[in-house]
Amino acid sequence: MKHASRLSLYAAGLTVAALLSCASLSIAADPGTKAAAPKVEPAAAGQDPVARVNGVAISALELKRASKVMLAGERGIVPSADQQKEFEKQALTQLVSAELLYQAAQKLEIKDLDKQVEDKMAKGKARFGKAEDFAKAMKDMDMEEKDLRDYTRRDLIITNFIEKTIVPTVKVSEEDARKFYDQNPDKFTRPEAVKASHILLGVDEKATAEEKKAAREKAEKLRKELAGGADFAALAKGNSTCPSSQQGGDLGYFGKGQMVPAFEKAAYALKPGEISDVVETQFGYHIIKLTEKKAAEKVEFKEARPRIDEYLKNQKIGAAVNDYLTEARKTAKIELLLK
C-alpha cells in the first residue's frame, strides 16, 4: 500500500499489529476515532447483525474484533462500561465507513489480486517467529486464517480504490507548503549536534571489581598513547569493543539526549580535535574524540519542502476520504442496530 499512511489506513492490530499490518484497515471517517477492522461476512451461522449498509450486514463478531483493536491501542487500559460502549460506537462508525468504501471499490479491477493477497499474507505470517504464535494471535481475535485472507483482500480492494480515485485529485501547492513552513518554525530547526569517535573498553554489568579495574587501567594506558601522538582510529580498531571500532570508532553525528548522560556531557565539553579523559558509563570505559560541532540551525524551505509536501498530502487525502464518505452516507441506506 504505497499511500497507506496518507490514507489513514493502517494496521488495526487485532491485538497483534505485526500480523494484521498485512490486513486490517482503519478509515479516518471521523476525527479522533481509532483503528477498526474492515468488513468480513459473519463467521458464524445465525450471527446477529449490528448494522446494515445497503443491505449488507455487519456482524456482532466483526464489532467484537474491532472493539478489541481499539482497546489494544489503549495499551492496558481497562474500560468502564460507558467507555466500552463508546469504543463500540466508534468501531461501528469505522466498519460502516469501510463497507461504504468497499462497495464502491469493487467496481474497479485489480490485476493479480490473488497474488497480492498471498504476498501480504506471507509477510504477515513472517512477522511471527513461530507458527504457534500466529495461531494464538488468530485465536485471540476469534479469527481463522480464512478470515485474515478476507480482510487482506478487502484492504487491497479499498486501497486500490482510494489510490485511483482520490489520491490523484489531491495536490499540494508551493503556496500551501510555504504557509505551513512559515507558521511552524519550531518544526524546521535542526538542533545542535556533534560528531565524535570513541574507544570503548566494555565491562559487563556483572563484572568483578578486579575486571573493572583492569579495563580502566587499559583505558588509561590507551589515553596516554593518544596523548603521545598515537592514531585514534588505529587504536579504536585494535582495542574498542564497540561495533564502531570497524569505522575507527566513528559514531557520526548525534544530538543531545541520544547518548547516555555521562558520555554526552563529556563529548559536548570538548572542542573539535580534543580527546577526553577516560569516561565511565554503564557500558564500560570510553575515550572520546570530538571531530566536529554543528550549531543549531534553521532548515531552509527548499530542503524541508519534500517532507512538508508529504505531510500536507497525507492530511488532504484523509480529508478527501472523509468528504467522500460524507457524500456516500447521504445516499446510502444505513441501519444501525447496536443496542
Side-chain angles (χ1 to χ4, degrees):
M1 291 189 294
K2 181 180 177 183
H3 296 286
S5 60
R6 293 180 182 171
L7 308 175
S8 296
L9 304 178
Y10 63 92
L14 301 185
T15 72
V16 277
L19 168 66
L20 294 183
S21 62
C22 74
S24 295
L25 168 69
S26 166
I27 307 300
D30 298 281
T33 58
K34 295 184 181 293
K39 166 73 172 64
V40 176
E41 291 304 316
Q47 187 72 61
D48 291 336
V50 291
R52 291 190 182 90
V53 181
N54 295 322
V56 178
I58 295 173
S59 74
L61 177 57
E62 294 172 73
L63 182 58
K64 180 181 178 182
R65 291 169 179 163
S67 297
K68 282 187 177 183
V69 168
M70 299 186 76
L71 284 172
E74 296 300 320
R75 296 188 179 277
I77 291 178
V78 178
S80 64
D82 288 342
Q83 287 175 322
Q84 180 66 42
K85 285 189 175 295
E86 183 59 30
F87 283 142
E88 289 180 348
K89 288 180 181 178
Q90 292 181 7
L92 188 57
T93 296
Q94 298 288 354
L95 291 169
V96 169
S97 296
E99 180 58 33
L100 286 168
L101 286 168
Y102 179 67
Q103 289 180 13
Q106 291 181 86
K107 300 171 185 177
L108 298 182
E109 180 182 358
I110 304 179
K111 293 182 179 180
D112 301 320
L113 178 57
D114 290 340
K115 183 178 183 304
Q116 290 186 47
V117 170
E118 294 309 315
D119 287 346
K120 289 180 75 69
M121 287 286 291
K123 288 178 181 178
K125 287 183 178 181
R127 296 182 184 223
F128 288 85
K130 301 177 182 178
E132 50 264 38
D133 292 336
F134 175 82
K136 182 179 184 301
M138 293 286 90
K139 184 178 180 181
D140 288 345
M141 291 311 302
D142 300 311
M143 291 177 68
E144 296 180 7
E145 191 168 328
K146 65 180 180 62
D147 299 317
L148 179 57
R149 186 169 278 101
D150 287 340
Y151 280 102
T152 304
R153 180 177 294 273
R154 292 174 63 87
D155 181 24
L156 287 166
I157 290 171
I158 294 172
T159 301
N160 178 67
F161 173 74
I162 297 176
E163 290 275 2
K164 290 183 176 178
T165 64
I166 294 179
V167 172
T169 70
V170 173
K171 307 294 179 185
V172 176
S173 68
E174 182 171 353
E175 182 181 359
D176 292 334
R178 173 64 73 172
K179 182 178 180 182
F180 183 84
Y181 178 83
D182 291 340
Q183 292 180 346
N184 297 274
D186 58 309
K187 298 183 186 297
F188 303 104
T189 299
R190 187 177 286 119
E192 179 185 12
V194 297
K195 184 178 183 182
S197 299
H198 80 144
I199 298 170
L200 171 64
L201 280 302
V203 177
D204 189 274
E205 60 182 13
K206 297 181 180 179
T208 64
E210 290 77 12
E211 289 171 330
K212 290 181 179 180
K213 180 181 178 182
R216 173 136 203 154
E217 288 177 348
K218 182 176 180 180
E220 295 287 1
K221 178 177 179 293
L222 292 173
R223 178 65 182 84
K224 288 180 180 179
E225 290 182 35
L226 291 167
D231 182 74
F232 193 96
L235 286 186
K237 287 181 180 179
N239 297 275
S240 181
T241 58
C242 177
S244 65
S245 63
Q246 299 302 310
Q247 292 80 47
D250 185 12
L251 295 169
Y253 286 98
F254 56 89
K256 290 187 175 179
Q258 292 183 257
M259 298 294 184
V260 293
F263 187 99
E264 177 185 294
K265 182 179 180 181
Y268 271 82
L270 297 171
K271 296 177 181 179
E274 286 186 338
I275 297 174
S276 73
D277 292 329
V278 174
V279 178
E280 183 178 358
T281 72
Q282 63 263 47
F283 301 109
Y285 299 98
H286 309 256
I287 305 168
I288 306 167
K289 179 179 180 179
L290 190 72
T291 307
E292 187 177 346
K293 275 188 176 180
K294 282 187 177 180
E297 60 182 349
K298 183 178 181 180
V299 179
E300 295 301 321
F301 175 70
K302 183 178 180 180
E303 181 182 348
R305 176 76 189 273
R307 290 186 294 121
I308 295 173
D309 285 354
E310 182 72 12
Y311 175 79
L312 293 180
K313 194 163 188 177
N314 291 345
Q315 303 302 305
K316 290 190 173 189
I317 292 173
V321 171
N322 288 340
D323 291 343
Y324 174 86
L325 289 167
T326 297
E327 291 302 311
R329 281 185 169 87
K330 291 179 181 178
T331 57
K333 183 179 180 182
I334 301 173
E335 302 171 79
L336 300 179
L337 309 173
L338 183 63
K339 297 179 181 179

